[in-house]
Amino acid sequence: MGPVVAAIAQYWWLIFPISAVAGPWLHRYNRQLERRRRYKLDMARARSAAQIEENRLARVNAEQLRTALRTHDEVNQRWWDYEIDLATIISYPMLVDVREPLTREFHKAKARADLLRPGQDASPTGVDASNLDASEFVEYRDAVLDFSTAFDVAEREARRRKQADFSPVERESLERARRLVMIAADEAATPAERQAAYRKARKELDGLIEIPVVGAQSLERSIAKELES
């Protein structure tokens, strides 16, 4: 037995007081290590979850975008049907009366939706969602919903009121204008008859309602084409 081993053997009893002192310290040290380990694991899980959520939000689902675009197109088409059908607009003039709050809201909502509409690519689906930020998509989707709702409300009110806001004399002028517009749009009529009817219709409507420019231009081009022929 060497001198070191002999000395340790001689003072073996010191193990007990040393253990009594070192034991609690080692226990606290181990607990701190465990807490650090758990903290690191929790932080790693939190970062992973945050990254997953960020990726999910950053990816705009192409189907959601297609749905928003389709809704936008459908509402635009409904309004287009009014714009090019002057006889119907004359029957429901509130839709072109910007003095009406519901009409103003509808046109404002339309302008916003049109402004926020994202571009479409030449892919088979016609939709490119890869470059569209999630917040931009949400803003566009909400604008389309506002546009659809505003148009629904304005259309229902226009159909409810019809020409009730006009005096009897004014309503007679509107009805004459509506019949004249139908003649102007009738391709079975002669070009001269169509042109005369359109001019009379515009005169009847003067000071009553502003007919949509798109519908007026479309009808004027149609008449002019026939006259040229």
Side-chain angles (χ1 to χ4, degrees):
M1 181 181 296
V4 175
V5 175
I8 292 174
Q10 184 179 359
Y11 294 102
W12 62 268
W13 54 271
L14 290 175
I15 294 174
F16 298 105
I18 291 173
S19 298
V21 173
W25 179 84
L26 286 172
H27 184 66
R28 286 195 299 272
Y29 178 73
N30 287 332
R31 282 194 301 175
Q32 288 177 352
L33 287 179
E34 179 64 18
R35 281 198 296 268
R36 288 177 184 173
R37 186 183 71 83
R38 289 181 180 176
Y39 175 76
K40 289 180 179 179
L41 286 174
D42 290 342
M43 289 299 296
R45 292 194 190 99
R47 283 195 293 269
S48 177
Q51 186 63 46
I52 292 172
E53 180 65 11
E54 183 179 347
N55 291 340
R56 185 186 70 81
L57 292 174
R59 274 195 318 270
V60 176
N61 186 284
E63 182 58 34
Q64 291 178 314
L65 180 55
R66 274 194 295 271
T67 299
L69 290 168
R70 185 167 57 248
T71 301
H72 193 170
D73 289 339
E74 288 171 354
V75 183
N76 269 338
Q77 183 61 50
R78 288 168 59 192
W79 168 237
W80 175 258
D81 291 341
Y82 281 102
E83 279 193 301
I84 62 174
D85 186 353
L86 302 185
T88 302
I89 279 291
I90 293 170
S91 297
Y92 309 111
M94 196 200 87
L95 285 174
V96 291
D97 188 354
V98 292
R99 295 170 300 179
E100 291 288 340
L102 294 179
T103 303
R104 285 200 306 274
E105 287 302 313
F106 148 57
H107 285 287
K108 283 170 57 180
K110 172 177 167 52
R112 178 171 171 75
D114 290 344
L115 179 66
L116 294 175
R117 184 184 181 107
Q120 293 178 260
D121 64 4
S123 67
T125 61
V127 174
D128 181 13
S130 60
N131 297 321
L132 185 63
D133 183 80
S135 61
E136 293 174 339
F137 165 70
V138 170
E139 188 177 22
Y140 170 64
R141 181 201 61 193
D142 291 348
V144 170
L145 291 175
D146 289 343
F147 173 33
S148 178
T149 301
F151 183 74
D152 284 341
V153 172
E155 183 182 38
R156 284 198 300 269
E157 182 63 11
R159 288 183 171 273
R160 185 187 70 82
R161 285 160 57 172
K162 297 182 180 178
Q163 300 173 349
D165 297 329
F166 295 86
S167 69
V169 173
E170 290 172 334
R171 286 199 293 271
E172 288 178 3
S173 291
L174 289 173
E175 181 56 26
R176 284 194 298 270
R178 189 186 67 81
R179 290 197 298 266
L180 288 166
V181 163
M182 292 178 67
I183 295 172
D186 186 3
E187 295 182 357
T190 67
E193 288 173 337
R194 295 181 64 188
Q195 186 181 53
Y198 179 67
R199 286 175 177 172
K200 289 177 182 178
R202 292 299 299 256
K203 187 175 181 181
E204 291 283 359
L205 294 173
D206 188 30
L208 292 179
I209 67 171
E210 286 290 332
I211 62 175
V213 174
V214 174
Q217 290 178 342
S218 176
L219 187 53
E220 289 168 6
R221 282 195 298 268
S222 175
I223 296 171
K225 185 178 179 180
E226 285 198 14
L227 287 170
E228 289 172 2
S229 299

